[in-house]
């Protein structure tokens, strides 16, 4: 979880991954913590926005080597217990 201004923290919602949503949208559940309060929120993206976000992350990572256990791009991610998320 990453801390942002004012003591807020935002990160992926535990146990939940990227979900397909109505109308071809993609929904990423987020866990939002602020002093004295926790909530769930979702980042909802079109396919084009998701591609732009993906490209921006790749650009930001630059020459940083990927960890050995990082999933291959556009491949399913397998979590402990055999669950598969994308």
């Amino acid at each position: 979880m990453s801390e942002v201004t004012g003591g807020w923290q935002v990160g992926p919602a535990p146990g939940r991954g990227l979900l397909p949503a109505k109308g071809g949208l993609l929904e990423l559940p987020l866990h939002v913590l602020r002093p004295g309060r926790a909530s769930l929120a979702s980042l909802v993206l079109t396919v084009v926005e998701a591609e732009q976000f993906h490209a921006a992350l790749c650009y930001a990572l630059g020459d940083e080597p990927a960890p050995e256990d990082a999933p291959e791009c556009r491949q399913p991610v397998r979590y402990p217990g055999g669950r598969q998320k994308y």
Side-chain angles (χ1 to χ4, degrees):
M1 181 144 329
S2 300
E3 186 169 330
V4 293
T5 53
W8 288 59
Q9 294 181 327
V10 179
R16 301 179 67 189
L18 187 66
L19 306 166
K22 291 181 181 178
L25 299 173
L26 301 167
E27 178 182 356
L28 180 61
L30 299 172
H31 193 213
V32 181
L33 299 173
R34 57 185 169 153
R37 189 165 191 176
S39 354
L40 288 175
S42 290
L43 175 62
V44 179
L45 302 166
T46 65
V47 172
V48 170
E49 292 168 333
E51 287 289 355
Q52 291 171 334
F53 188 50
H54 176 248
L57 288 171
C58 288
Y59 180 77
L61 290 169
D63 294 331
E64 186 71 28
E68 288 186 27
D69 60 346
E72 288 294 321
C73 181
R74 297 184 183 256
Q75 297 298 314
V77 177
R78 293 211 177 267
Y79 292 92
R83 294 179 303 131
Q84 181 173 311
K85 302 251 180 162
Y86 300 91

